[in-house]
Amino acid sequence: MTTIFGKIIKREAPADIVYEDDLCLAFRDINPHAPIHVLLIPKKAIARLADAQPEDQALLGHLLLAANKIARQLGVEGAYRIVISNGADAGQTVFHLHLHILAGRRFRERPS
Ligand code: 5GP
């Protein structure tokens, strides 16, 4: 099923895109929880991390390295937090796998 993120990939919905390569796309969250709050998504439509398959191993690694690249690009490579919510009870609201890249403030608290 197409989500809003699928529409952003196809440029059918607007987004403030900060990074793109063959496999993934990153754009600023519409409702940021930190001064820098970027969503990084694979172009392949995987609903939840739990739906990733063994053949997605390279893609999942690619996403983490892309997150690192984006953090460098945004000047926050020294301190950033990655969050993935898997499933509605974990707070997932958009069912297209995404990494939250959060930075620009101190994160004293453990993820909750
Ligand atoms: P989740 O709650 O699934 O972990 O994260 C979904 C995130 O997507 C939320 O932080 C929400 O603010 C963001 N979001 C939802 N719809 C849109 C949209 O249309 N554009 C952008 N840029 N972010 C969105």
Side-chain angles (χ1 to χ4, degrees):
M1 200 187 85
T2 303
T3 65
I4 183 65
F5 293 174
K7 290 183 180 162
I8 288 172
I9 291 168
K10 289 193 247 161
R11 307 301 202 268
E12 292 171 4
D16 184 357
I17 293 170
V18 298
Y19 177 83
E20 180 170 25
D21 65 26
D22 289 350
L23 298 177
C24 63
L25 183 71
F27 50 91
R28 291 186 194 274
D29 196 294
I30 206 168
N31 180 26
H33 289 205
I36 289 176
H37 187 170
V38 167
L39 300 170
L40 172 59
I41 65 174
K43 290 184 175 175
K44 178 179 178 183
I46 300 170
R48 305 169 305 162
L49 183 58
D51 298 310
Q53 299 299 313
E55 64 263 27
D56 297 317
Q57 181 168 331
L59 175 59
L60 296 178
H62 181 87
L63 288 170
L64 286 181
L65 291 176
N68 212 2
K69 208 181 277 184
I70 292 161
R72 272 202 305 278
Q73 180 186 310
L74 298 176
V76 296
E77 68 274 16
Y80 62 90
R81 175 173 281 190
I82 302 279
V83 175
I84 299 174
S85 302
N86 181 82
D89 286 348
Q92 186 175 4
T93 58
V94 179
F95 286 81
H96 182 124
L97 173 63
H98 51 282
L99 284 67
H100 296 261
I101 304 171
L102 298 145
R105 67 172 171 87
R106 287 189 75 88
F107 295 98
R108 295 177 190 283
E109 74 277 16
R110 290 171 170 272
S112 60

mmCIF file of all heavy atoms in Angstrom, residues 1-51:
data_model
loop_
_atom_site.group_PDB
_atom_site.id
_atom_site.type_symbol
_atom_site.label_atom_id
_atom_site.label_comp_id
_atom_site.label_asym_id
_atom_site.label_seq_id
_atom_site.Cartn_x
_atom_site.Cartn_y
_atom_site.Cartn_z
ATOM 1 N N MET A 1 0.843 -1.197 0.000
ATOM 2 C CA MET A 1 0.000 0.000 0.000
ATOM 3 C C MET A 1 0.882 1.252 0.000
ATOM 4 O O MET A 1 1.859 1.306 0.734
ATOM 5 C CB MET A 1 -0.909 0.008 1.234
ATOM 6 C CG MET A 1 -2.098 0.915 1.082
ATOM 7 S SD MET A 1 -3.028 1.062 2.626
ATOM 8 C CE MET A 1 -2.130 2.364 3.452
ATOM 9 N N THR A 2 0.528 2.220 -0.831
ATOM 10 C CA THR A 2 1.337 3.437 -0.904
ATOM 11 C C THR A 2 1.083 4.302 0.322
ATOM 12 O O THR A 2 -0.057 4.516 0.716
ATOM 13 C CB THR A 2 1.002 4.240 -2.172
ATOM 14 O OG1 THR A 2 1.203 3.397 -3.296
ATOM 15 C CG2 THR A 2 1.906 5.447 -2.307
ATOM 16 N N THR A 3 2.144 4.795 0.905
ATOM 17 C CA THR A 3 2.054 5.701 2.042
ATOM 18 C C THR A 3 2.441 7.095 1.569
ATOM 19 O O THR A 3 2.887 7.286 0.431
ATOM 20 C CB THR A 3 3.033 5.270 3.149
ATOM 21 O OG1 THR A 3 4.367 5.428 2.623
ATOM 22 C CG2 THR A 3 2.827 3.826 3.567
ATOM 23 N N ILE A 4 2.347 8.042 2.474
ATOM 24 C CA ILE A 4 2.790 9.410 2.159
ATOM 25 C C ILE A 4 4.273 9.407 1.775
ATOM 26 O O ILE A 4 4.688 10.176 0.897
ATOM 27 C CB ILE A 4 2.490 10.378 3.337
ATOM 28 C CG1 ILE A 4 2.877 11.807 2.979
ATOM 29 C CG2 ILE A 4 3.145 9.949 4.618
ATOM 30 C CD1 ILE A 4 2.093 12.436 1.869
ATOM 31 N N PHE A 5 5.052 8.522 2.370
ATOM 32 C CA PHE A 5 6.484 8.491 2.027
ATOM 33 C C PHE A 5 6.674 7.953 0.606
ATOM 34 O O PHE A 5 7.559 8.419 -0.125
ATOM 35 C CB PHE A 5 7.271 7.658 3.040
ATOM 36 C CG PHE A 5 7.324 8.258 4.422
ATOM 37 C CD1 PHE A 5 7.890 7.551 5.475
ATOM 38 C CD2 PHE A 5 6.833 9.528 4.681
ATOM 39 C CE1 PHE A 5 7.955 8.094 6.744
ATOM 40 C CE2 PHE A 5 6.878 10.083 5.966
ATOM 41 C CZ PHE A 5 7.444 9.353 6.995
ATOM 42 N N GLY A 6 5.830 6.995 0.203
ATOM 43 C CA GLY A 6 5.880 6.507 -1.183
ATOM 44 C C GLY A 6 5.586 7.642 -2.152
ATOM 45 O O GLY A 6 6.210 7.742 -3.223
ATOM 46 N N LYS A 7 4.652 8.497 -1.774
ATOM 47 C CA LYS A 7 4.316 9.652 -2.635
ATOM 48 C C LYS A 7 5.473 10.650 -2.686
ATOM 49 O O LYS A 7 5.729 11.262 -3.725
ATOM 50 C CB LYS A 7 3.043 10.335 -2.133
ATOM 51 C CG LYS A 7 1.814 9.485 -2.372
ATOM 52 C CD LYS A 7 0.555 10.195 -1.942
ATOM 53 C CE LYS A 7 -0.636 9.282 -2.198
ATOM 54 N NZ LYS A 7 -1.822 9.666 -1.474
ATOM 55 N N ILE A 8 6.158 10.818 -1.563
ATOM 56 C CA ILE A 8 7.321 11.732 -1.550
ATOM 57 C C ILE A 8 8.413 11.177 -2.465
ATOM 58 O O ILE A 8 9.027 11.923 -3.235
ATOM 59 C CB ILE A 8 7.816 11.939 -0.097
ATOM 60 C CG1 ILE A 8 6.807 12.808 0.670
ATOM 61 C CG2 ILE A 8 9.208 12.582 -0.079
ATOM 62 C CD1 ILE A 8 7.066 12.937 2.169
ATOM 63 N N ILE A 9 8.638 9.866 -2.438
ATOM 64 C CA ILE A 9 9.647 9.255 -3.326
ATOM 65 C C ILE A 9 9.296 9.557 -4.781
ATOM 66 O O ILE A 9 10.167 9.895 -5.583
ATOM 67 C CB ILE A 9 9.725 7.727 -3.099
ATOM 68 C CG1 ILE A 9 10.312 7.420 -1.723
ATOM 69 C CG2 ILE A 9 10.556 7.057 -4.203
ATOM 70 C CD1 ILE A 9 10.159 5.966 -1.296
ATOM 71 N N LYS A 10 8.010 9.436 -5.119
ATOM 72 C CA LYS A 10 7.586 9.655 -6.518
ATOM 73 C C LYS A 10 7.362 11.125 -6.835
ATOM 74 O O LYS A 10 6.887 11.466 -7.921
ATOM 75 C CB LYS A 10 6.297 8.862 -6.781
ATOM 76 C CG LYS A 10 6.523 7.368 -6.832
ATOM 77 C CD LYS A 10 5.316 6.653 -7.397
ATOM 78 C CE LYS A 10 4.673 5.814 -6.325
ATOM 79 N NZ LYS A 10 3.299 5.410 -6.562
ATOM 80 N N ARG A 11 7.671 11.995 -5.880
ATOM 81 C CA ARG A 11 7.478 13.444 -6.047
ATOM 82 C C ARG A 11 5.998 13.786 -6.263
ATOM 83 O O ARG A 11 5.660 14.779 -6.892
ATOM 84 C CB ARG A 11 8.317 14.017 -7.193
ATOM 85 C CG ARG A 11 9.813 13.698 -7.121
ATOM 86 C CD ARG A 11 10.426 14.219 -5.823
ATOM 87 N NE ARG A 11 11.858 14.404 -5.888
ATOM 88 C CZ ARG A 11 12.788 13.499 -5.552
ATOM 89 N NH1 ARG A 11 12.407 12.299 -5.088
ATOM 90 N NH2 ARG A 11 14.064 13.768 -5.629
ATOM 91 N N GLU A 12 5.122 12.965 -5.721
ATOM 92 C CA GLU A 12 3.688 13.264 -5.782
ATOM 93 C C GLU A 12 3.243 14.045 -4.549
ATOM 94 O O GLU A 12 2.102 14.500 -4.468
ATOM 95 C CB GLU A 12 2.889 11.955 -5.896
ATOM 96 C CG GLU A 12 3.097 11.259 -7.234
ATOM 97 C CD GLU A 12 2.506 9.863 -7.293
ATOM 98 O OE1 GLU A 12 1.859 9.421 -6.316
ATOM 99 O OE2 GLU A 12 2.713 9.195 -8.321
ATOM 100 N N ALA A 13 4.124 14.146 -3.564
ATOM 101 C CA ALA A 13 3.874 14.967 -2.373
ATOM 102 C C ALA A 13 5.158 15.745 -2.098
ATOM 103 O O ALA A 13 6.259 15.245 -2.351
ATOM 104 C CB ALA A 13 3.499 14.080 -1.185
ATOM 105 N N PRO A 14 5.037 16.971 -1.577
ATOM 106 C CA PRO A 14 6.226 17.797 -1.369
ATOM 107 C C PRO A 14 7.012 17.362 -0.127
ATOM 108 O O PRO A 14 6.445 16.779 0.807
ATOM 109 C CB PRO A 14 5.636 19.196 -1.158
ATOM 110 C CG PRO A 14 4.259 18.948 -0.624
ATOM 111 C CD PRO A 14 3.793 17.652 -1.197
ATOM 112 N N ALA A 15 8.293 17.653 -0.141
ATOM 113 C CA ALA A 15 9.135 17.405 1.037
ATOM 114 C C ALA A 15 10.405 18.220 0.885
ATOM 115 O O ALA A 15 10.827 18.530 -0.231
ATOM 116 C CB ALA A 15 9.475 15.924 1.161
ATOM 117 N N ASP A 16 11.009 18.541 2.024
ATOM 118 C CA ASP A 16 12.281 19.270 2.045
ATOM 119 C C ASP A 16 13.394 18.215 2.034
ATOM 120 O O ASP A 16 13.850 17.761 3.087
ATOM 121 C CB ASP A 16 12.323 20.155 3.300
ATOM 122 C CG ASP A 16 13.566 21.020 3.353
ATOM 123 O OD1 ASP A 16 14.423 20.906 2.452
ATOM 124 O OD2 ASP A 16 13.677 21.803 4.312
ATOM 125 N N ILE A 17 13.789 17.828 0.838
ATOM 126 C CA ILE A 17 14.737 16.718 0.667
ATOM 127 C C ILE A 17 16.156 17.206 0.944
ATOM 128 O O ILE A 17 16.587 18.240 0.427
ATOM 129 C CB ILE A 17 14.602 16.139 -0.758
ATOM 130 C CG1 ILE A 17 13.225 15.465 -0.895
ATOM 131 C CG2 ILE A 17 15.725 15.138 -1.057
ATOM 132 C CD1 ILE A 17 12.855 15.059 -2.294
ATOM 133 N N VAL A 18 16.875 16.435 1.765
ATOM 134 C CA VAL A 18 18.255 16.818 2.106
ATOM 135 C C VAL A 18 19.281 15.853 1.524
ATOM 136 O O VAL A 18 20.471 16.165 1.469
ATOM 137 C CB VAL A 18 18.468 16.947 3.634
ATOM 138 C CG1 VAL A 18 17.578 18.034 4.211
ATOM 139 C CG2 VAL A 18 18.240 15.625 4.351
ATOM 140 N N TYR A 19 18.846 14.666 1.101
ATOM 141 C CA TYR A 19 19.790 13.674 0.572
ATOM 142 C C TYR A 19 19.024 12.670 -0.268
ATOM 143 O O TYR A 19 17.887 12.295 0.064
ATOM 144 C CB TYR A 19 20.492 12.943 1.724
ATOM 145 C CG TYR A 19 21.420 11.846 1.250
ATOM 146 C CD1 TYR A 19 22.717 12.127 0.840
ATOM 147 C CD2 TYR A 19 20.980 10.519 1.191
ATOM 148 C CE1 TYR A 19 23.558 11.121 0.383
ATOM 149 C CE2 TYR A 19 21.815 9.512 0.738
ATOM 150 C CZ TYR A 19 23.095 9.816 0.338
ATOM 151 O OH TYR A 19 23.931 8.832 -0.124
ATOM 152 N N GLU A 20 19.675 12.234 -1.355
ATOM 153 C CA GLU A 20 19.076 11.168 -2.172
ATOM 154 C C GLU A 20 20.191 10.402 -2.849
ATOM 155 O O GLU A 20 21.193 10.973 -3.284
ATOM 156 C CB GLU A 20 18.139 11.773 -3.234
ATOM 157 C CG GLU A 20 17.498 10.699 -4.112
ATOM 158 C CD GLU A 20 16.384 11.234 -4.999
ATOM 159 O OE1 GLU A 20 16.399 12.440 -5.311
ATOM 160 O OE2 GLU A 20 15.518 10.421 -5.386
ATOM 161 N N ASP A 21 20.028 9.090 -2.927
ATOM 162 C CA ASP A 21 20.882 8.280 -3.794
ATOM 163 C C ASP A 21 19.996 7.208 -4.417
ATOM 164 O O ASP A 21 18.766 7.279 -4.321
ATOM 165 C CB ASP A 21 22.108 7.745 -3.035
ATOM 166 C CG ASP A 21 21.755 6.770 -1.913
ATOM 167 O OD1 ASP A 21 20.698 6.113 -1.993
ATOM 168 O OD2 ASP A 21 22.539 6.669 -0.949
ATOM 169 N N ASP A 22 20.619 6.216 -5.041
ATOM 170 C CA ASP A 22 19.828 5.207 -5.774
ATOM 171 C C ASP A 22 18.881 4.439 -4.866
ATOM 172 O O ASP A 22 17.816 3.987 -5.306
ATOM 173 C CB ASP A 22 20.763 4.185 -6.438
ATOM 174 C CG ASP A 22 21.505 4.789 -7.608
ATOM 175 O OD1 ASP A 22 21.153 5.915 -8.013
ATOM 176 O OD2 ASP A 22 22.441 4.135 -8.107
ATOM 177 N N LEU A 23 19.255 4.286 -3.600
ATOM 178 C CA LEU A 23 18.529 3.376 -2.714
ATOM 179 C C LEU A 23 17.687 4.060 -1.651
ATOM 180 O O LEU A 23 16.809 3.429 -1.060
ATOM 181 C CB LEU A 23 19.524 2.439 -2.014
ATOM 182 C CG LEU A 23 20.336 1.514 -2.923
ATOM 183 C CD1 LEU A 23 21.336 0.708 -2.111
ATOM 184 C CD2 LEU A 23 19.403 0.579 -3.692
ATOM 185 N N CYS A 24 17.966 5.327 -1.383
ATOM 186 C CA CYS A 24 17.269 5.956 -0.261
ATOM 187 C C CYS A 24 17.071 7.455 -0.470
ATOM 188 O O CYS A 24 17.656 8.062 -1.378
ATOM 189 C CB CYS A 24 17.993 5.679 1.051
ATOM 190 S SG CYS A 24 19.654 6.355 1.163
ATOM 191 N N LEU A 25 16.218 7.998 0.376
ATOM 192 C CA LEU A 25 15.857 9.412 0.302
ATOM 193 C C LEU A 25 15.736 9.928 1.735
ATOM 194 O O LEU A 25 15.252 9.206 2.620
ATOM 195 C CB LEU A 25 14.498 9.527 -0.408
ATOM 196 C CG LEU A 25 13.926 10.908 -0.668
ATOM 197 C CD1 LEU A 25 14.744 11.600 -1.755
ATOM 198 C CD2 LEU A 25 12.475 10.812 -1.117
ATOM 199 N N ALA A 26 16.164 11.169 1.963
ATOM 200 C CA ALA A 26 16.043 11.760 3.301
ATOM 201 C C ALA A 26 15.438 13.153 3.178
ATOM 202 O O ALA A 26 15.777 13.916 2.261
ATOM 203 C CB ALA A 26 17.406 11.836 3.976
ATOM 204 N N PHE A 27 14.538 13.449 4.088
ATOM 205 C CA PHE A 27 13.850 14.741 4.065
ATOM 206 C C PHE A 27 13.512 15.151 5.492
ATOM 207 O O PHE A 27 13.460 14.320 6.409
ATOM 208 C CB PHE A 27 12.574 14.668 3.195
ATOM 209 C CG PHE A 27 11.677 13.502 3.512
ATOM 210 C CD1 PHE A 27 10.669 13.608 4.433
ATOM 211 C CD2 PHE A 27 11.881 12.261 2.898
ATOM 212 C CE1 PHE A 27 9.864 12.528 4.749
ATOM 213 C CE2 PHE A 27 11.077 11.167 3.200
ATOM 214 C CZ PHE A 27 10.071 11.302 4.130
ATOM 215 N N ARG A 28 13.274 16.445 5.668
ATOM 216 C CA ARG A 28 13.014 16.955 7.019
ATOM 217 C C ARG A 28 11.616 16.559 7.482
ATOM 218 O O ARG A 28 10.662 16.612 6.701
ATOM 219 C CB ARG A 28 13.181 18.480 7.050
ATOM 220 C CG ARG A 28 14.640 18.883 6.861
ATOM 221 C CD ARG A 28 14.863 20.365 7.038
ATOM 222 N NE ARG A 28 16.177 20.747 6.542
ATOM 223 C CZ ARG A 28 17.309 20.701 7.248
ATOM 224 N NH1 ARG A 28 17.275 20.310 8.512
ATOM 225 N NH2 ARG A 28 18.457 21.054 6.701
ATOM 226 N N ASP A 29 11.537 16.160 8.754
ATOM 227 C CA ASP A 29 10.247 15.780 9.343
ATOM 228 C C ASP A 29 9.343 17.014 9.410
ATOM 229 O O ASP A 29 9.779 18.114 9.766
ATOM 230 C CB ASP A 29 10.458 15.205 10.746
ATOM 231 C CG ASP A 29 9.243 14.454 11.241
ATOM 232 O OD1 ASP A 29 8.187 15.093 11.454
ATOM 233 O OD2 ASP A 29 9.341 13.226 11.411
ATOM 234 N N ILE A 30 8.083 16.817 9.097
ATOM 235 C CA ILE A 30 7.117 17.924 9.076
ATOM 236 C C ILE A 30 6.802 18.426 10.489
ATOM 237 O O ILE A 30 6.356 19.563 10.668
ATOM 238 C CB ILE A 30 5.838 17.460 8.339
ATOM 239 C CG1 ILE A 30 5.100 18.621 7.719
ATOM 240 C CG2 ILE A 30 4.943 16.625 9.221
ATOM 241 C CD1 ILE A 30 4.014 18.199 6.742
ATOM 242 N N ASN A 31 7.056 17.578 11.473
ATOM 243 C CA ASN A 31 6.761 17.928 12.873
ATOM 244 C C ASN A 31 7.987 17.617 13.723
ATOM 245 O O ASN A 31 8.020 16.641 14.471
ATOM 246 C CB ASN A 31 5.536 17.125 13.346
ATOM 247 C CG ASN A 31 5.173 17.424 14.777
ATOM 248 O OD1 ASN A 31 5.458 18.503 15.300
ATOM 249 N ND2 ASN A 31 4.557 16.455 15.447
ATOM 250 N N PRO A 32 9.049 18.461 13.579
ATOM 251 C CA PRO A 32 10.343 18.103 14.167
ATOM 252 C C PRO A 32 10.348 18.050 15.686
ATOM 253 O O PRO A 32 9.729 18.878 16.345
ATOM 254 C CB PRO A 32 11.274 19.204 13.648
ATOM 255 C CG PRO A 32 10.395 20.330 13.246
ATOM 256 C CD PRO A 32 9.080 19.743 12.855
ATOM 257 N N HIS A 33 11.069 17.068 16.219
ATOM 258 C CA HIS A 33 11.225 16.914 17.669
ATOM 259 C C HIS A 33 12.584 17.400 18.139
ATOM 260 O O HIS A 33 12.927 17.256 19.307
ATOM 261 C CB HIS A 33 11.052 15.438 18.061
ATOM 262 C CG HIS A 33 9.634 14.971 17.944
ATOM 263 N ND1 HIS A 33 9.129 13.924 18.665
ATOM 264 C CD2 HIS A 33 8.615 15.421 17.179
ATOM 265 C CE1 HIS A 33 7.857 13.750 18.361
ATOM 266 N NE2 HIS A 33 7.519 14.634 17.454
ATOM 267 N N ALA A 34 13.363 17.931 17.213
ATOM 268 C CA ALA A 34 14.702 18.446 17.525
ATOM 269 C C ALA A 34 15.036 19.456 16.437
ATOM 270 O O ALA A 34 14.411 19.449 15.364
ATOM 271 C CB ALA A 34 15.714 17.302 17.532
ATOM 272 N N PRO A 35 16.011 20.331 16.686
ATOM 273 C CA PRO A 35 16.373 21.318 15.659
ATOM 274 C C PRO A 35 16.685 20.669 14.306
ATOM 275 O O PRO A 35 16.363 21.228 13.266
ATOM 276 C CB PRO A 35 17.601 22.008 16.262
ATOM 277 C CG PRO A 35 17.375 21.914 17.742
ATOM 278 C CD PRO A 35 16.735 20.560 17.953
ATOM 279 N N ILE A 36 17.326 19.508 14.354
ATOM 280 C CA ILE A 36 17.483 18.712 13.128
ATOM 281 C C ILE A 36 16.714 17.416 13.319
ATOM 282 O O ILE A 36 16.958 16.662 14.275
ATOM 283 C CB ILE A 36 18.973 18.454 12.818
ATOM 284 C CG1 ILE A 36 19.591 19.775 12.356
ATOM 285 C CG2 ILE A 36 19.137 17.350 11.771
ATOM 286 C CD1 ILE A 36 21.059 19.747 12.106
ATOM 287 N N HIS A 37 15.753 17.199 12.449
ATOM 288 C CA HIS A 37 14.947 15.975 12.500
ATOM 289 C C HIS A 37 14.684 15.577 11.047
ATOM 290 O O HIS A 37 13.838 16.146 10.365
ATOM 291 C CB HIS A 37 13.635 16.220 13.247
ATOM 292 C CG HIS A 37 12.841 14.967 13.479
ATOM 293 N ND1 HIS A 37 11.748 14.925 14.302
ATOM 294 C CD2 HIS A 37 12.972 13.704 12.984
ATOM 295 C CE1 HIS A 37 11.244 13.701 14.322
ATOM 296 N NE2 HIS A 37 11.969 12.938 13.506
ATOM 297 N N VAL A 38 15.462 14.598 10.625
ATOM 298 C CA VAL A 38 15.396 14.136 9.236
ATOM 299 C C VAL A 38 14.879 12.702 9.234
ATOM 300 O O VAL A 38 15.212 11.907 10.118
ATOM 301 C CB VAL A 38 16.809 14.223 8.593
ATOM 302 C CG1 VAL A 38 16.872 13.467 7.279
ATOM 303 C CG2 VAL A 38 17.204 15.690 8.385
ATOM 304 N N LEU A 39 14.060 12.389 8.246
ATOM 305 C CA LEU A 39 13.587 11.020 8.059
ATOM 306 C C LEU A 39 14.334 10.419 6.887
ATOM 307 O O LEU A 39 14.398 11.039 5.811
ATOM 308 C CB LEU A 39 12.081 11.014 7.767
ATOM 309 C CG LEU A 39 11.209 11.624 8.861
ATOM 310 C CD1 LEU A 39 9.774 11.785 8.359
ATOM 311 C CD2 LEU A 39 11.247 10.777 10.128
ATOM 312 N N LEU A 40 14.902 9.263 7.101
ATOM 313 C CA LEU A 40 15.656 8.569 6.052
ATOM 314 C C LEU A 40 14.905 7.293 5.710
ATOM 315 O O LEU A 40 14.632 6.473 6.599
ATOM 316 C CB LEU A 40 17.072 8.260 6.562
ATOM 317 C CG LEU A 40 17.946 7.380 5.678
ATOM 318 C CD1 LEU A 40 18.158 7.999 4.291
ATOM 319 C CD2 LEU A 40 19.296 7.129 6.358
ATOM 320 N N ILE A 41 14.567 7.149 4.430
ATOM 321 C CA ILE A 41 13.740 6.003 4.017
ATOM 322 C C ILE A 41 14.386 5.269 2.845
ATOM 323 O O ILE A 41 15.029 5.888 1.995
ATOM 324 C CB ILE A 41 12.304 6.462 3.622
ATOM 325 C CG1 ILE A 41 12.334 7.360 2.384
ATOM 326 C CG2 ILE A 41 11.630 7.173 4.778
ATOM 327 C CD1 ILE A 41 10.937 7.719 1.855
ATOM 328 N N PRO A 42 14.205 3.958 2.809
ATOM 329 C CA PRO A 42 14.622 3.240 1.607
ATOM 330 C C PRO A 42 13.607 3.504 0.497
ATOM 331 O O PRO A 42 12.417 3.707 0.779
ATOM 332 C CB PRO A 42 14.573 1.771 2.046
ATOM 333 C CG PRO A 42 13.552 1.720 3.128
ATOM 334 C CD PRO A 42 13.589 3.071 3.817
ATOM 335 N N LYS A 43 14.058 3.505 -0.747
ATOM 336 C CA LYS A 43 13.091 3.656 -1.844
ATOM 337 C C LYS A 43 12.241 2.396 -1.987
ATOM 338 O O LYS A 43 11.098 2.462 -2.422
ATOM 339 C CB LYS A 43 13.823 4.000 -3.138
ATOM 340 C CG LYS A 43 14.408 5.419 -3.093
ATOM 341 C CD LYS A 43 15.054 5.826 -4.387
ATOM 342 C CE LYS A 43 15.498 7.296 -4.286
ATOM 343 N NZ LYS A 43 16.258 7.727 -5.482
ATOM 344 N N LYS A 44 12.814 1.269 -1.584
ATOM 345 C CA LYS A 44 12.035 0.032 -1.559
ATOM 346 C C LYS A 44 11.005 0.133 -0.436
ATOM 347 O O LYS A 44 11.339 0.524 0.692
ATOM 348 C CB LYS A 44 12.978 -1.156 -1.312
ATOM 349 C CG LYS A 44 12.264 -2.479 -1.216
ATOM 350 C CD LYS A 44 13.244 -3.628 -1.000
ATOM 351 C CE LYS A 44 12.492 -4.944 -0.852
ATOM 352 N NZ LYS A 44 13.403 -6.076 -0.565
ATOM 353 N N ALA A 45 9.764 -0.219 -0.745
ATOM 354 C CA ALA A 45 8.700 -0.094 0.251
ATOM 355 C C ALA A 45 8.706 -1.290 1.198
ATOM 356 O O ALA A 45 8.132 -2.341 0.904
ATOM 357 C CB ALA A 45 7.347 0.044 -0.445
ATOM 358 N N ILE A 46 9.377 -1.122 2.326
ATOM 359 C CA ILE A 46 9.355 -2.105 3.415
ATOM 360 C C ILE A 46 8.518 -1.454 4.510
ATOM 361 O O ILE A 46 8.824 -0.338 4.939
ATOM 362 C CB ILE A 46 10.781 -2.391 3.928
ATOM 363 C CG1 ILE A 46 11.658 -2.945 2.800
ATOM 364 C CG2 ILE A 46 10.756 -3.334 5.127
ATOM 365 C CD1 ILE A 46 13.142 -3.017 3.152
ATOM 366 N N ALA A 47 7.429 -2.108 4.940
ATOM 367 C CA ALA A 47 6.497 -1.440 5.861
ATOM 368 C C ALA A 47 7.129 -1.179 7.226
ATOM 369 O O ALA A 47 7.029 -0.081 7.770
ATOM 370 C CB ALA A 47 5.225 -2.266 5.993
ATOM 371 N N ARG A 48 7.741 -2.231 7.777
ATOM 372 C CA ARG A 48 8.326 -2.119 9.116
ATOM 373 C C ARG A 48 9.687 -2.789 9.101
ATOM 374 O O ARG A 48 9.932 -3.685 8.273
ATOM 375 C CB ARG A 48 7.453 -2.848 10.156
ATOM 376 C CG ARG A 48 6.009 -2.436 10.226
ATOM 377 C CD ARG A 48 5.246 -3.430 11.104
ATOM 378 N NE ARG A 48 5.435 -4.791 10.593
ATOM 379 C CZ ARG A 48 5.205 -5.907 11.273
ATOM 380 N NH1 ARG A 48 4.757 -5.841 12.523
ATOM 381 N NH2 ARG A 48 5.403 -7.092 10.736
ATOM 382 N N LEU A 49 10.527 -2.428 10.046
ATOM 383 C CA LEU A 49 11.819 -3.113 10.142
ATOM 384 C C LEU A 49 11.598 -4.621 10.243
ATOM 385 O O LEU A 49 12.341 -5.412 9.665
ATOM 386 C CB LEU A 49 12.605 -2.592 11.355
ATOM 387 C CG LEU A 49 14.004 -3.173 11.537
ATOM 388 C CD1 LEU A 49 14.883 -2.921 10.318
ATOM 389 C CD2 LEU A 49 14.656 -2.617 12.790
ATOM 390 N N ALA A 50 10.523 -5.008 10.952
ATOM 391 C CA ALA A 50 10.240 -6.435 11.132
ATOM 392 C C ALA A 50 9.915 -7.128 9.812
ATOM 393 O O ALA A 50 9.947 -8.362 9.744
ATOM 394 C CB ALA A 50 9.080 -6.613 12.113
ATOM 395 N N ASP A 51 9.601 -6.372 8.783
ATOM 396 C CA ASP A 51 9.293 -6.968 7.476
ATOM 397 C C ASP A 51 10.530 -7.090 6.591
ATOM 398 O O ASP A 51 10.439 -7.607 5.476
ATOM 399 C CB ASP A 51 8.222 -6.136 6.761
ATOM 400 C CG ASP A 51 6.923 -6.119 7.533
ATOM 401 O OD1 ASP A 51 6.453 -7.215 7.911
ATOM 402 O OD2 ASP A 51 6.391 -5.021 7.798
#
